[in-house]
Amino acid sequence: MPLAPTGAADPERFPSRSGFFFAESTVSALPLLLLLLLALLAAAVWHDVRARRIPNAVVFPGALAALALHTLLPAGAGLFAAQPGGLGLLSSLGGLAIGLAVLLPLYALRLMGAGDVKLLAMVGAFVGAGQILAVSLFTLAAGGVLALVFAACQGQLKPLLANAWRMLAFTGMTALSGRPLVAAPAAASGRLPYAIAIAAATTCSAFWLRTHGSLPL
């Protein structure tokens, strides 16, 4: 019976260390990816609460980092899966585009600022095209709750509901007639730090993805 050469490893008894090491290092990178996203969201919230604006210095580097991670990391189920991996450049770009498109109508109606739109686009680059719609729905729900809380705290709940009805009328009349029959607000109010809603929805979504692998919607 021939003997194995001295120093040779039996592949059945000693599996490839390179594969094991890579898998282990990829899993260990998960907290770092979460920390990166949380740090970007925290910076956006801080600026939005303090100055009611989200600077490009937060969202642009974040979006570029997400695109690079999805491109350079080995293929996987996403940056926040139990075993993180890249979704590819196209999925990341698709998530960015969808995140941008979701809030553009609200920006066009002057209901929120450009920084909020770009922040959700950055989130889309992180979660990818397959998850950003669910994150967007959670964001809109969180934004509604945030608006009600802020209005109630400031004694402006009734005017808020009146403005919401006015905007619904404006949107519906415009869609039916092709021309605005109800005037839109003159400018964005700038009073609601919408980054809080985006950050809350994105954080919950990221931890859900880590635990369950996909969002429920």
Side-chain angles (χ1 to χ4, degrees):
M1 178 178 179
L3 298 176
T6 305
D10 183 349
E12 295 183 358
R13 296 178 57 193
F14 303 98
S16 171
R17 290 183 177 272
S18 61
F20 173 78
F21 175 77
F22 181 77
E24 185 180 31
S25 62
T26 306
V27 174
S28 65
L30 177 58
L32 296 179
L33 297 174
L34 278 174
L35 286 175
L36 171 61
L37 179 60
L38 293 177
L40 291 167
L41 293 172
V45 168
W46 187 81
H47 283 285
D48 204 14
V49 170
R50 184 170 176 266
R52 292 300 189 270
R53 63 182 299 272
I54 303 171
N56 291 333
V58 173
V59 293
F60 284 172
L64 290 175
L67 293 172
L69 287 168
H70 279 295
T71 303
L72 298 176
L73 286 178
L79 299 182
F80 309 111
Q83 292 189 350
L87 295 172
L89 179 61
L90 289 180
S91 179
S92 185
L93 282 172
L96 187 150
I98 294 172
L100 190 69
V102 166
L103 294 185
L104 269 180
L106 298 179
Y107 172 71
L109 293 173
R110 302 186 181 98
L111 294 178
M112 63 178 55
D116 304 317
V117 180
K118 289 181 282 188
L119 181 61
L120 189 63
M122 182 201 78
V123 170
F126 270 97
V127 301
Q131 306 292 345
I132 184 56
L133 283 178
V135 176
S136 300
L137 289 176
F138 298 151
T139 295
L140 293 174
V145 173
L146 181 67
L148 292 175
V149 170
F150 264 68
C153 291
Q154 297 174 358
Q156 298 293 320
L157 187 57
K158 188 174 181 179
L160 173 68
L161 296 176
N163 287 337
W165 172 252
R166 185 178 180 84
M167 290 312 306
L168 285 174
F170 169 77
T171 304
M173 297 281 188
T174 301
L176 291 174
S177 66
R179 59 189 181 88
L181 301 180
V182 182
S189 64
R191 295 176 182 174
L192 184 66
Y194 207 79
I196 296 176
I198 298 175
T202 303
T203 301
C204 293
S205 298
F207 280 101
W208 184 279
L209 286 170
R210 179 178 183 180
T211 305
H212 302 281
S214 63
L215 295 174
L217 298 179

